[in-house]
Amino acid sequence: MNEALRTQLVDGIRTRDFAHVRDVLDDLPASGIAEVLGDFGPLDQAVLFRVLPHKLAGDTFAYLPRGQQQLLIKALGQADLSAVLSAMPDDDRTKLLEELPGNVTRELLEQLSPAERIAALKSLGYPEKSVGRLMTPHYIAVTPDRTVQQVLDTIRVRGLDSETVNVIYVVDEHGKLVDDLRIRRFLVSPPERTVQALMDGSFSALKTTDPAINAVALMRAVDLVALPVVDGDGSLVGIVTADDVLDVAEQAATKQIQEVGGSESLDAPYLDISLLKMLRKRGGWLVILFLSEMLTATAMGFYEKQIERAVVLSLFVPLIISSGGNSGSQAATLIIRALALGEVKLRDWWRVMRREFTTGLGLGILLGVIGFLRITIWSLFSDIYGPYWYLIALTIGFALVGIVLWGSLAGSILPLILKRLGLDPATSSAPFVATLVDVTGLIIYFTVATFILRGTLL
Amino acid sequence: MNEALRTQLVDGIRTRDFAHVRDVLDDLPASGIAEVLGDFGPLDQAVLFRVLPHKLAGDTFAYLPRGQQQLLIKALGQADLSAVLSAMPDDDRTKLLEELPGNVTRELLEQLSPAERIAALKSLGYPEKSVGRLMTPHYIAVTPDRTVQQVLDTIRVRGLDSETVNVIYVVDEHGKLVDDLRIRRFLVSPPERTVQALMDGSFSALKTTDPAINAVALMRAVDLVALPVVDGDGSLVGIVTADDVLDVAEQAATKQIQEVGGSESLDAPYLDISLLKMLRKRGGWLVILFLSEMLTATAMGFYEKQIERAVVLSLFVPLIISSGGNSGSQAATLIIRALALGEVKLRDWWRVMRREFTTGLGLGILLGVIGFLRITIWSLFSDIYGPYWYLIALTIGFALVGIVLWGSLAGSILPLILKRLGLDPATSSAPFVATLVDVTGLIIYFTVATFILRGTLL
């Protein structure tokens, strides 16, 4: 091997200048790189290999002798590699750590124990909370040229080792997933028929880089206990089983519930999390909410004169703003969950608006009438609201209609807007809705009051 | 057959007086009842059989000739039976519709298509949202006297038909579940070893009458793609697979999120539910919240004189009560979810209180300091708060400490109390916490104000 080249690579590894290493290797053919790798120890080999572009890495791997493939695989799965690579700046690492080629991933996953696999999937560069981190290699795959009898024989031998035999995966000669077939299809077919003849070409697969949460909706839709996972080229590299998806679903639901409740998600059991962490997770949103709620004091300041003239108006402020807040958080929560479940899409925004207009108006009238009656009935027995009680009752009634309607509209449209902006609706909706509805609620209330009470109390 | 007896039974069925039918049959031995059943048509047979006490029904079934067993099974699975029985008053039906004996359930489930099974499990008397409604009969069970080789042969034959072969269930000669063994145990053992020798006697099973939601926690704990289901006598009657448990988990999470958001759970996709239903589901809680929030107007009424004298106090009312409400709903939501996940149990209440005391105090001081500074800084540039601005700043600061602390304590203890009372914490906590914290928040605020501002503003 060219000594200058070797020096360059050794220097590149030592100084962690992986971009340079990549440039150097990129100029060589796959067979040349395979040869170069032979001169390095397993860890350095793994580093060099990991830095290669996706396609080139796959070809290089194929050129390696079998024994060296095994050694490389072992090195790739080790925590050392993860440590070396995580010393890189984040953005560079993301650029360099593409997925491994399908053939390498498969080999690697096959050879590891479940515990090693978790560490390895991390070092393979699959993003946190991605499907790639969840998958297992214990599945049965066959090629289309097989007969039903041959497949059943394979199942008898390999099925015991597989996470599931309910679904058989069909791959082409390059390992690309082309179909998934329920085991029942094989049982009702004559033994000499080929897999090709059974195929319907319809299957649902996850990508390694998909967010893990995607597996939940897909698994519920297809009603299987396992889903296939393919890499960027469509090669089958693993399956995700339902028990793991269940964990993902529960964690995601916990995060959503906690965020809807106005806290950052704890990411740990309530009794286990340290007090400092708890303070930080809860304090963050509480302070943001507090700062934005300060606008209510500013808004109230504008109406100080009115309150001085008619103190009775201030008595209903908590009732008014909590009604707006409640209708807003109701609407926001329903939309947040519907978005998470995929029941509502962004393009449905107009249907959502129409629904919330009707619902909000109905709910507003309901509360408005109750509020009106409450003050009217109270005034029959007491003169706490003075001689103009009926005007106050009207003010409360009309303000409630407006505020509940506005709360429902604002609560439902905000999650959609946040989602459109690429933000997580669950995280950010609660504070925005609360502030918006509280501040605007006060403005609606005092505007209605000014209009109705002008010339009497105001 | 005794003609008088027959007349009594026919009358009992006609008049739906099942309690009487039960009394009559209860006096006969199982063999006698089996004989009596022979005189009736399949639907009447099914009704009579369904009315029998659990133990007696199992024995009677064993006495029936094979052909009649099949006919009875068919009748038991039919919707007609469900219609007949649902004509009974609810409490009577619950008393009469005990679980079927394990041997009958197994036979029945085996013979039905998946669609028929759903209908049948309903008519079998398993409560809604119970494990019994979820289970499937496609599993592999073996007795302890089998050898490893025999079990592997069974798997080769029956495994293809089973929902899962990862776990093999061990039952005794009466069909009682005694162990579950991972398939790997069999693979590493010599073929002539007996199942008995592999058993460790540790297994986790669900009961048919357990709430379906229990399956979620158990499945996450044991990390299997299927769980065994036993009847009241411990007989294995089915398994529950992970994909069905996933549906249960997602539906339960949706219910919780919607309830935490202050709405009744919709039980249908947002865009599919009728407007009338939507109004009803949301209006119910909104009205309850509104009625209880009316207490805030009453509470404010007590402080009308103070507000008249110091209108500036009213400006901070929305800020004060929303801070209490936010800290309360934060704490309530965290505890509701932790209870649902089983991370917090009722007996942990004292630990929860201690955590919330420290956290609430910390958060209260944080917000109190921000509130104090906000008013102080504002007063440097404006005289909106008058000459006693520092006393107002102190009032807001101390009130916030008290209110946030109280909100955290009330928000966390209320779900525990509701759970202790046998109520669903998710459903009822939100309104209680909101009202409690808002009303008491006002009292805390005005009490602090009276104390600090006495002799100056008040």
Side-chain angles (χ1 to χ4, degrees), chain A residues 163 166 220 242 247 250 254 257 262 269-270 273 282 290 294 300 314 330 333 337 343 355-356 374, chain B residues 163 166 220 242 247 250 254 257 262 269-270 273 282 294 300 314 323 330 333 337 355-356 374:
Chain A
E163 286 268 352
N166 293 358
R220 293 188 72 193
D247 282 341
E250 284 286 89
T254 301
I257 289 176
Y270 173 85
I273 196 168
R282 287 163 67 168
F290 184 72
M294 279 180 176
M300 289 284 283
S314 73
Q330 231 184 30
T333 313
R337 186 61 181 167
E343 292 171 0
R355 299 216 99 185
E356 288 303 315
R374 178 350 181 126
Chain B
E163 287 269 352
N166 293 358
R220 293 188 71 193
D247 282 341
E250 284 286 89
T254 301
I257 290 176
Y270 174 86
I273 196 169
R282 287 163 67 167
M294 278 181 176
M300 290 284 284
S314 73
S323 300
Q330 234 185 27
T333 312
R337 185 61 180 165
R355 300 216 100 185
E356 288 303 315
R374 190 315 194 146

Side-chain angles (χ1 to χ4, degrees), chain B residues 47-208:
Chain B
V47 173
L48 291 173
F49 186 78
R50 210 65 200 78
V51 162
L52 289 176
H54 186 252
K55 181 83 184 64
L56 195 53
D59 292 348
T60 303
F61 188 75
Y63 273 107
L64 290 175
R66 184 71 193 159
Q68 211 178 323
Q69 281 184 345
Q70 305 266 9
L71 284 176
L72 178 59
I73 288 292
K74 236 183 137 183
L76 281 172
Q78 270 165 6
D80 302 355
L81 176 66
S82 172
V84 171
L85 294 170
S86 62
M88 297 163 67
D90 269 356
D91 49 343
D92 287 354
R93 188 171 60 238
T94 315
K95 250 181 285 166
L96 287 176
L97 280 188
E98 292 173 308
E99 293 174 76
L100 282 182
N103 53 347
V104 183
T105 311
R106 262 196 311 280
E107 282 280 352
L108 190 144
L109 293 181
E110 287 269 355
Q111 299 189 13
L112 300 176
S113 73
E116 288 171 330
R117 202 185 308 140
I118 291 169
L121 289 173
K122 196 169 157 193
S123 74
L124 287 183
Y126 298 119
E128 217 179 324
K129 297 189 177 175
S130 72
V131 165
R133 294 275 186 105
L134 281 183
M135 62 193 183
T136 105
H138 299 303
Y139 55 88
I140 295 174
V142 298
T143 46
D145 56 327
R146 289 299 159 116
T147 64
V148 167
Q149 185 58 53
Q150 284 173 320
V151 173
L152 293 178
D153 289 343
T154 307
I155 295 168
R156 293 210 175 87
V157 178
R158 295 235 15 224
L160 303 174
D161 191 34
S162 159
E163 287 269 352
T164 172
V165 296
N166 293 358
V167 189
I168 307 301
Y169 301 98
V170 186
V171 294
D172 68 13
E173 66 275 24
H174 306 298
K176 200 178 198 116
L177 180 66
V178 291
D179 209 348
D180 61 356
L181 295 171
R182 281 174 200 254
I183 187 70
R184 289 179 222 288
R185 297 291 299 264
F186 292 89
L187 295 175
V188 297
S189 303
E192 69 283 1
R193 186 160 292 175
T194 63
V195 172
Q196 181 79 55
L198 301 185
M199 284 165 60
D200 54 15
S202 97
F203 62 91
S204 302
L206 294 162
K207 290 216 183 70
T208 49

